[in-house]
Each structure stands twice: as C-alpha cells, then as structure tokens.
Amino acid sequence: MDDSERLRELHDTYVWEVNAAVGEGRLDLVWQLADEFLDEVLELLTSDEEMTCGRADCLVCNRPRPPEAAPRPRRWTWRGRRQR
C-alpha cells in the first residue's frame, strides 16, 4: 500500500469518527480527533526521512529516546438517538 492509499484510508476512518462524534454532540471529541489525525498524517509523511544529522559525536542525535506510546484501541459505542 503506497502513501496515498494509506492517507485515504486514514482520512476515511477519521471522517467517519468525526461525523459520529458530531452526531452525538461531542465537539470535544471532534477537536481531539482532528489533533490525532494531524499527528498521524505528519508521522506518515515524515516516516521515511532521516531523523539525525549523521554525525557520530552529536549529543542531540545520540540522546536516549522516550518509548513510543501504544496506540489506543479505536471503538465507537453507539447510543440511541436523542429524543427532542
């Protein structure tokens, strides 16, 4: 799967989740999902780029990295439509 296909799949997933959050009136969740989408897109687009300067004596590039956070499981619980 190339980058454009992965971007499309990521976009479609987030559009569905954002629409569901809007439908339930969860604007706080909409903003959170928008931030996560941006982070994931940037990670996808920059994953192939070198992250160091290449010098063996560079203190910045050789510092210990924090462990990556485990991705949270994505589940959406549906509730009945609100009665107005």
Side-chain angles (χ1 to χ4, degrees):
M1 182 182 303
D2 67 346
D3 285 347
S4 63
E5 290 173 352
R6 291 190 306 198
L7 282 172
R8 172 59 58 194
E9 184 177 303
L10 184 64
H11 172 265
D12 292 345
T13 300
Y14 273 95
V15 165
W16 187 87
E17 290 180 355
V18 166
N19 285 339
V22 168
E24 290 200 6
R26 294 284 315 274
L27 293 182
D28 60 318
L29 186 56
V30 170
W31 287 109
Q32 178 184 345
L33 289 168
D35 289 340
E36 288 176 11
F37 176 73
L38 179 60
D39 291 342
E40 288 193 40
V41 167
L42 289 174
E43 184 177 326
L44 176 66
L45 294 176
T46 59
S47 63
D48 295 336
E49 296 187 17
E50 183 65 34
M51 299 299 287
T52 64
C53 66
R55 293 185 0 216
D57 62 340
C58 180
L59 296 176
V60 174
C61 295
N62 292 325
R63 72 176 185 259
R65 303 280 184 218
E68 290 187 22
R72 66 178 178 86
R74 293 180 184 262
R75 285 189 280 159
W76 190 262
T77 57
W78 287 97
R79 299 181 197 142
R81 293 187 140 222
R82 294 184 205 176
Q83 300 295 324
R84 293 182 185 205

